Protein backbone atom coordinates (compact mmCIF):
# COMPACT_ATOMS: atom_id res chain seq x y z
CA UNK A 1 0.00 0.00 0.00
CA UNK A 2 1.23 3.51 -0.79
CA UNK A 3 2.35 5.85 2.01
CA UNK A 4 0.01 8.57 3.23
CA UNK A 5 1.10 12.00 2.00
CA UNK A 6 1.79 14.62 4.65
CA UNK A 7 0.27 17.73 3.07
CA UNK A 8 2.44 20.69 4.12
CA UNK A 9 0.20 23.24 2.42
CA UNK A 10 -2.79 22.07 4.42
CA UNK A 11 -0.83 22.14 7.71
CA UNK A 12 0.50 25.63 6.91
CA UNK A 13 -2.94 27.00 6.05
CA UNK A 14 -4.36 25.79 9.36
CA UNK A 15 -1.51 27.39 11.33
CA UNK A 16 -1.73 30.67 9.42
CA UNK A 17 -5.50 30.83 9.91
CA UNK A 18 -5.03 30.39 13.65
CA UNK A 19 -2.37 33.13 13.75
CA UNK A 20 -4.57 35.50 11.73
CA UNK A 21 -7.49 35.00 14.12
CA UNK A 22 -5.26 35.53 17.15
CA UNK A 23 -3.76 38.72 15.69
CA UNK A 24 -7.22 40.08 14.96
CA UNK A 25 -8.29 39.33 18.53
CA UNK A 26 -5.16 40.97 19.94
CA UNK A 27 -5.59 43.93 17.54
CA UNK A 28 -1.83 43.65 17.16
CA UNK A 29 0.32 45.26 14.46
CA UNK A 30 3.34 43.01 14.14
CA UNK A 31 6.31 44.09 12.05
CA UNK A 32 8.75 41.63 10.51
CA UNK A 33 11.94 43.08 9.06
CA UNK A 34 14.14 41.11 6.67
CA UNK A 35 17.71 42.22 6.12
CA UNK A 36 19.17 41.36 2.75
CA UNK A 37 22.71 42.11 1.67
CA UNK A 38 23.27 42.33 -2.08
CA UNK A 39 21.24 40.36 -4.61
CA UNK A 40 20.73 36.62 -4.46
CA UNK A 41 18.22 34.73 -6.64
CA UNK A 42 17.44 32.11 -3.94
CA UNK A 43 16.88 34.68 -1.25
CA UNK A 44 14.62 36.66 -3.64
CA UNK A 45 12.25 33.66 -3.65
CA UNK A 46 12.30 33.50 0.17
CA UNK A 47 11.58 37.24 0.42
CA UNK A 48 8.61 36.88 -1.94
CA UNK A 49 7.19 33.94 0.07
CA UNK A 50 7.75 35.67 3.42
CA UNK A 51 6.06 38.84 2.17
CA UNK A 52 2.97 37.07 0.86
CA UNK A 53 2.64 34.92 4.02
CA UNK A 54 2.88 38.05 6.17
CA UNK A 55 0.21 39.78 4.08
CA UNK A 56 -2.05 36.74 4.42
CA UNK A 57 -2.14 37.00 8.21
CA UNK A 58 -1.94 40.80 8.50
CA UNK A 59 1.72 41.22 9.49
CA UNK A 60 3.69 44.19 8.13
CA UNK A 61 6.76 43.04 6.19
CA UNK A 62 9.66 45.38 5.51
CA UNK A 63 12.72 44.50 3.48
CA UNK A 64 15.91 46.36 4.34
CA UNK A 65 18.12 46.04 1.28
CA UNK A 66 21.81 46.75 1.91
CA UNK A 67 24.70 47.08 -0.54
CA UNK A 68 26.74 43.97 -1.40
CA UNK A 69 29.94 45.76 -0.33
CA UNK A 70 28.76 46.77 3.15
CA UNK A 71 31.42 46.15 5.81
CA UNK A 72 30.88 43.69 8.66
CA UNK A 73 30.96 46.49 11.25
CA UNK A 74 28.40 48.60 9.37
CA UNK A 75 26.12 45.59 9.00
CA UNK A 76 26.36 44.83 12.72
CA UNK A 77 25.47 48.40 13.57
CA UNK A 78 22.51 48.34 11.11
CA UNK A 79 21.19 45.15 12.73
CA UNK A 80 21.70 46.57 16.23
CA UNK A 81 19.77 49.71 15.24
CA UNK A 82 16.87 47.56 14.03
CA UNK A 83 17.10 45.59 17.26
CA UNK A 84 16.57 48.77 19.27
CA UNK A 85 13.60 49.93 17.20
CA UNK A 86 10.51 49.44 19.39
CA UNK A 87 8.22 49.20 16.34
CA UNK A 88 9.93 46.05 15.05
CA UNK A 89 8.71 42.68 16.35
CA UNK A 90 11.20 40.37 14.65
CA UNK A 91 14.29 40.40 12.44
CA UNK A 92 15.30 37.90 9.74
CA UNK A 93 18.73 37.78 8.25
CA UNK A 94 18.48 36.59 4.64
CA UNK A 95 21.18 34.04 3.83
CA UNK A 96 23.62 33.75 2.25
CA UNK A 97 25.59 36.84 3.22
CA UNK A 98 28.61 37.82 1.09
CA UNK A 99 31.67 35.64 1.86
CA UNK A 100 33.56 38.60 3.36
CA UNK A 101 31.03 38.74 6.22
CA UNK A 102 30.97 36.40 9.20
CA UNK A 103 27.29 35.36 9.27
CA UNK A 104 27.56 34.00 12.80
CA UNK A 105 28.69 37.40 14.12
CA UNK A 106 25.74 39.12 12.45
CA UNK A 107 23.24 36.54 13.74
CA UNK A 108 24.56 37.09 17.25
CA UNK A 109 23.93 40.82 17.01
CA UNK A 110 20.17 40.21 16.76
CA UNK A 111 18.65 40.62 20.24
CA UNK A 112 17.15 37.40 21.64
CA UNK A 113 13.71 39.02 21.90
CA UNK A 114 13.67 39.83 18.14
CA UNK A 115 15.25 36.58 16.98
CA UNK A 116 12.31 35.32 14.91
CA UNK A 117 14.40 32.53 13.35
CA UNK A 118 15.41 31.15 16.76
CA UNK A 119 19.10 31.07 15.89
CA UNK A 120 20.76 33.16 18.61
CA UNK A 121 22.74 31.26 21.28
CA UNK A 122 20.21 32.13 24.00
CA UNK A 123 17.24 30.81 22.04
CA UNK A 124 19.03 27.70 20.76
CA UNK A 125 20.27 27.04 24.30
CA UNK A 126 16.71 26.87 25.64
CA UNK A 127 16.09 23.81 23.47
CA UNK A 128 18.31 21.86 25.87
CA UNK A 129 15.92 22.20 28.77
CA UNK A 130 13.05 19.72 29.03
CA UNK A 131 11.16 21.97 31.46
CA UNK A 132 11.33 25.17 29.36
CA UNK A 133 9.01 25.80 26.44
CA UNK A 134 11.13 27.95 24.08
CA UNK A 135 9.30 30.97 22.61
CA UNK A 136 11.13 30.59 19.32
CA UNK A 137 13.17 27.84 17.65
CA UNK A 138 14.60 27.26 14.15
CA UNK A 139 11.60 27.36 11.81
CA UNK A 140 12.52 24.35 9.67
CA UNK A 141 13.02 22.16 12.73
CA UNK A 142 9.62 23.30 14.05
CA UNK A 143 8.14 22.52 10.65
CA UNK A 144 9.56 18.98 10.81
CA UNK A 145 7.91 18.50 14.21
CA UNK A 146 4.56 19.81 12.90
CA UNK A 147 4.72 17.36 9.97
CA UNK A 148 5.39 14.49 12.39
CA UNK A 149 2.58 15.65 14.70
CA UNK A 150 0.14 15.78 11.78
CA UNK A 151 0.39 12.00 11.38
CA UNK A 152 -1.16 11.51 14.83
CA UNK A 153 1.45 8.81 15.53
CA UNK A 154 3.00 8.62 18.99
CA UNK A 155 6.78 9.09 18.81
CA UNK A 156 7.44 7.82 22.34
CA UNK A 157 10.39 5.43 22.25
CA UNK A 158 10.43 5.28 18.44
CA UNK A 159 13.71 4.69 16.63
CA UNK A 160 14.29 8.07 14.97
CA UNK A 161 17.11 8.65 12.52
CA UNK A 162 18.08 12.14 11.40
CA UNK A 163 20.34 12.45 8.36
CA UNK A 164 22.14 15.82 8.40
CA UNK A 165 23.44 17.67 11.47
CA UNK A 166 23.04 21.36 10.63
CA UNK A 167 22.28 23.98 13.30
CA UNK A 168 18.92 24.85 11.73
CA UNK A 169 17.58 21.34 11.10
CA UNK A 170 19.40 18.20 12.26
CA UNK A 171 20.65 19.32 15.68
CA UNK A 172 17.51 21.19 16.81
CA UNK A 173 15.27 18.36 15.58
CA UNK A 174 17.32 15.94 17.69
CA UNK A 175 16.72 18.12 20.77
CA UNK A 176 13.03 18.50 19.97
CA UNK A 177 12.64 14.73 19.69
CA UNK A 178 14.21 14.51 23.15
CA UNK A 179 12.25 17.42 24.62
CA UNK A 180 10.02 15.41 26.92
CA UNK A 181 11.31 13.49 29.89
CA UNK A 182 8.72 10.78 29.30
CA UNK A 183 7.53 10.93 25.69
CA UNK A 184 10.78 11.24 23.74
CA UNK A 185 11.87 9.26 20.70
CA UNK A 186 15.31 7.62 20.50
CA UNK A 187 17.22 9.69 17.94
CA UNK A 188 20.40 8.84 16.05
CA UNK A 189 22.03 11.62 14.04
CA UNK A 190 23.85 10.67 10.83
CA UNK A 191 26.07 12.95 8.76
CA UNK A 192 28.71 13.00 6.05
CA UNK A 193 31.14 10.89 8.11
CA UNK A 194 28.57 8.24 9.06
CA UNK A 195 29.61 4.72 8.08
CA UNK A 196 26.83 2.54 6.68
CA UNK A 197 24.07 5.15 6.34
CA UNK A 198 21.61 2.52 5.08
CA UNK A 199 22.24 0.42 8.19
CA UNK A 200 20.84 3.32 10.24
CA UNK A 201 18.01 4.40 7.95
CA UNK A 202 16.73 0.82 7.57
CA UNK A 203 15.89 0.60 11.26
CA UNK A 204 14.26 4.07 11.44
CA UNK A 205 10.58 4.14 12.34
CA UNK A 206 10.89 7.89 11.95
CA UNK A 207 13.35 9.21 9.33
CA UNK A 208 14.21 12.88 8.88
CA UNK A 209 16.51 13.75 5.98
CA UNK A 210 18.14 17.20 5.62
CA UNK A 211 21.20 16.87 3.41
CA UNK A 212 20.77 18.59 0.04
CA UNK A 213 21.44 15.59 -2.24
CA UNK A 214 18.68 14.59 -4.62
CA UNK A 215 17.64 10.95 -4.24
CA UNK A 216 20.20 10.12 -1.52
CA UNK A 217 17.66 7.91 0.28
CA UNK A 218 16.36 5.04 -1.86
CA UNK A 219 13.34 2.86 -1.20
CA UNK A 220 15.53 -0.09 -0.14
CA UNK A 221 17.07 2.06 2.61
CA UNK A 222 13.72 2.43 4.42
CA UNK A 223 11.90 0.41 7.04
CA UNK A 224 8.41 -0.67 6.02
CA UNK A 225 5.81 1.76 7.36
CA UNK A 226 8.31 4.46 8.43
CA UNK A 227 7.36 8.12 8.79
CA UNK A 228 9.64 9.87 6.27
CA UNK A 229 10.21 13.60 6.54
CA UNK A 230 12.16 14.99 3.58
CA UNK A 231 13.64 18.44 4.27
CA UNK A 232 15.94 18.60 1.24
CA UNK A 233 15.35 21.08 -1.55
CA UNK A 234 17.27 20.28 -4.73
CA UNK A 235 16.94 21.62 -8.24
CA UNK A 236 17.32 18.86 -10.84
CA UNK A 237 16.89 20.30 -14.33
CA UNK A 238 13.79 22.43 -14.05
CA UNK A 239 12.29 20.36 -11.23
CA UNK A 240 12.52 20.73 -7.44
CA UNK A 241 12.93 17.50 -5.49
CA UNK A 242 13.91 16.29 -2.05
CA UNK A 243 16.67 14.06 -0.68
CA UNK A 244 14.43 11.00 -0.72
CA UNK A 245 13.59 9.12 -3.90
CA UNK A 246 9.87 9.83 -3.62
CA UNK A 247 8.62 7.30 -6.21
CA UNK A 248 10.45 4.45 -4.49
CA UNK A 249 9.83 5.62 -0.92
CA UNK A 250 6.07 5.99 -1.31
CA UNK A 251 5.85 2.21 -1.85
CA UNK A 252 7.62 1.43 1.43
CA UNK A 253 6.92 4.25 3.89
CA UNK A 254 3.82 4.68 6.03
CA UNK A 255 3.83 8.48 5.70
CA UNK A 256 5.91 10.79 3.53
CA UNK A 257 6.32 14.53 2.94
CA UNK A 258 6.43 15.54 -0.75
CA UNK A 259 8.90 18.10 -2.11
CA UNK A 260 7.64 20.68 -2.86
CA UNK A 261 4.52 20.91 -0.69
CA UNK A 262 5.88 19.30 2.48
CA UNK A 263 8.27 20.68 5.11
CA UNK A 264 9.07 23.82 3.09
CA UNK A 265 5.43 24.84 2.94
CA UNK A 266 5.16 24.75 6.75
CA UNK A 267 8.45 26.59 7.45
CA UNK A 268 7.12 30.11 6.75
CA UNK A 269 4.05 29.42 8.89
CA UNK A 270 6.40 28.54 11.76
CA UNK A 271 8.25 31.82 11.20
CA UNK A 272 4.95 33.64 11.76
CA UNK A 273 4.26 31.50 14.83
CA UNK A 274 7.68 32.49 16.21
CA UNK A 275 6.88 36.16 15.49
CA UNK A 276 3.60 35.93 17.39
CA UNK A 277 5.47 34.25 20.27
CA UNK A 278 7.96 37.14 20.42
CA UNK A 279 5.12 39.66 20.43
CA UNK A 280 3.20 37.89 23.19
CA UNK A 281 6.34 37.62 25.34
CA UNK A 282 6.89 41.37 24.96
CA UNK A 283 3.38 42.34 26.01
CA UNK A 284 3.16 39.75 28.81
P1 LIG B 1 23.70 21.80 5.54
O1 LIG B 1 23.74 22.08 4.07
O2 LIG B 1 24.20 22.81 6.49
O3 LIG B 1 24.45 20.45 5.86
C1 LIG B 1 24.24 19.24 5.16
C2 LIG B 1 24.24 18.09 6.12
O4 LIG B 1 24.18 16.89 5.38
C3 LIG B 1 25.51 18.00 6.99
O5 LIG B 1 25.13 17.60 8.28
C4 LIG B 1 26.32 16.91 6.32
O6 LIG B 1 27.19 16.22 7.21
C5 LIG B 1 25.21 16.00 5.81
N1 LIG B 1 25.61 15.18 4.65
C6 LIG B 1 26.15 15.59 3.49
N2 LIG B 1 26.32 14.55 2.66
C7 LIG B 1 25.89 13.45 3.33
C8 LIG B 1 25.85 12.05 3.01
N3 LIG B 1 26.26 11.60 1.85
N4 LIG B 1 25.33 11.22 3.94
C9 LIG B 1 24.90 11.67 5.13
N5 LIG B 1 24.91 12.97 5.49
C10 LIG B 1 25.42 13.85 4.59
O7 LIG B 1 22.19 21.37 5.92
P2 LIG B 1 20.84 22.23 5.95
O8 LIG B 1 21.13 23.69 5.95
O9 LIG B 1 20.04 21.61 7.03
O10 LIG B 1 20.19 21.89 4.53
C11 LIG B 1 19.93 20.57 4.12
C12 LIG B 1 18.87 20.55 3.02
O11 LIG B 1 17.66 21.05 3.55
C13 LIG B 1 19.19 21.43 1.81
O12 LIG B 1 18.69 20.81 0.65
C14 LIG B 1 18.41 22.71 2.07
O13 LIG B 1 18.06 23.39 0.88
C15 LIG B 1 17.19 22.11 2.75
N6 LIG B 1 16.47 23.07 3.62
C16 LIG B 1 15.13 23.10 3.52
C17 LIG B 1 14.39 23.96 4.32
C18 LIG B 1 12.90 23.92 4.23
O14 LIG B 1 12.23 24.78 4.76
N7 LIG B 1 12.34 22.90 3.60
C19 LIG B 1 15.04 24.81 5.21
C20 LIG B 1 16.44 24.72 5.34
C21 LIG B 1 17.15 23.84 4.53
Amino acid sequence: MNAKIIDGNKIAEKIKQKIKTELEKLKAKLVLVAVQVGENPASKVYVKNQKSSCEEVGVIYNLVQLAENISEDSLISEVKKLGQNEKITGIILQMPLPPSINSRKIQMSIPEEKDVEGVTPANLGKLLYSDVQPVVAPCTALSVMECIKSTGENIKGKEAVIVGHSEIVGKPVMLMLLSSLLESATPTVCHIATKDLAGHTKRAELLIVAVGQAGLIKGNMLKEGAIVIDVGINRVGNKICGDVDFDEAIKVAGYITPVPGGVGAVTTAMLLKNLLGLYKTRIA
Side-chain angles (χ1 to χ4, degrees):
M1 207 170 76
N2 274 357
K4 291 185 185 145
I5 305 289
I6 300 174
D7 185 344
N9 289 314
K10 216 160 135 189
I11 299 170
E13 272 324 303
K14 239 180 163 170
I15 296 167
K16 282 194 266 188
Q17 196 49 52
K18 240 172 119 180
I19 294 172
K20 188 173 182 216
T21 309
E22 199 166 347
L23 287 178
E24 282 165 1
K25 238 195 252 159
L26 287 166
K27 293 190 176 31
K29 271 280 160 259
L30 272 56
V31 180
L32 179 60
V33 168
V35 178
Q36 181 166 356
V37 180
E39 294 282 336
N40 181 288
S43 108
K44 248 189 189 164
V45 178
Y46 292 130
V47 166
K48 195 169 149 242
N49 289 343
Q50 288 161 5
K51 190 167 185 286
S52 69
S53 292
C54 281
E55 283 167 359
E56 251 181 83
V57 300
V59 164
I60 299 164
Y61 183 82
N62 289 331
L63 177 67
V64 175
Q65 178 74 60
L66 300 168
E68 176 90 33
N69 62 356
I70 191 169
S71 70
E72 197 171 274
D73 286 347
S74 306
L75 181 54
I76 290 175
S77 76
E78 285 292 337
V79 171
K80 283 192 174 159
K81 241 193 277 167
L82 296 170
Q84 285 158 6
N85 185 334
E86 280 298 310
K87 290 187 184 133
I88 295 171
T89 321
I91 302 169
I92 306 179
L93 197 57
Q94 297 294 348
M95 296 292 182
L97 293 175
S100 59
I101 288 177
N102 181 337
S103 314
R104 182 83 68 223
K105 259 188 174 169
I106 313 297
Q107 260 175 357
M108 288 188 186
S109 61
I110 299 175
E112 176 190 345
E113 62 279 8
K114 300 218 169 151
D115 171 27
V116 71
E117 294 181 285
V119 289
T120 57
N123 284 323
L124 281 174
K126 286 177 192 155
L127 288 176
L128 281 171
Y129 301 113
S130 298
D131 59 345
V132 172
Q133 182 65 46
V135 175
V136 292
C139 307
T140 311
L142 287 172
S143 167
V144 166
M145 296 308 288
E146 282 297 323
C147 290
I148 296 169
K149 213 166 81 186
S150 77
T151 65
E153 298 287 335
N154 188 356
I155 65 158
K156 182 176 176 179
K158 272 203 165 50
E159 286 296 325
V161 172
I162 303 162
V163 188
H165 70 331
S166 71
E167 288 98 3
I168 55 162
V169 191
K171 286 180 189 167
V173 164
M174 178 198 70
L175 292 172
M176 288 172 186
L177 290 173
L178 291 171
S179 69
S180 161
L181 291 176
L182 297 171
E183 306 288 327
S184 292
T186 306
T188 300
V189 183
C190 301
H191 44 75
I192 186 86
T194 298
K195 294 173 194 157
D196 189 17
L197 179 63
H200 291 282
T201 60
K202 269 189 208 159
R203 59 173 181 76
E205 297 171 279
L206 172 57
L207 179 68
I208 297 120
V209 191
V211 171
Q213 258 182 54
L216 174 72
I217 306 295
K218 306 281 177 214
N220 63 6
M221 293 167 76
L222 299 176
K223 185 180 174 76
E224 190 84 35
I227 301 173
V228 178
I229 310 290
D230 189 354
V231 184
I233 302 177
N234 308 291
R235 181 171 287 280
V236 177
N238 57 1
K239 270 183 79 180
I240 299 288
C241 63
D243 292 340
V244 177
D245 186 321
F246 186 83
D247 295 340
E248 285 185 20
I250 198 169
K251 296 182 193 135
V252 188
Y255 298 87
I256 189 164
T257 54
V259 180
V263 175
V266 187
T267 302
T268 319
M270 300 321 288
L271 183 80
L272 296 171
K273 199 171 175 195
N274 276 349
L275 190 75
L276 180 59
L278 292 178
Y279 175 81
K280 290 206 286 196
T281 308
R282 227 166 81 188
I283 59 164

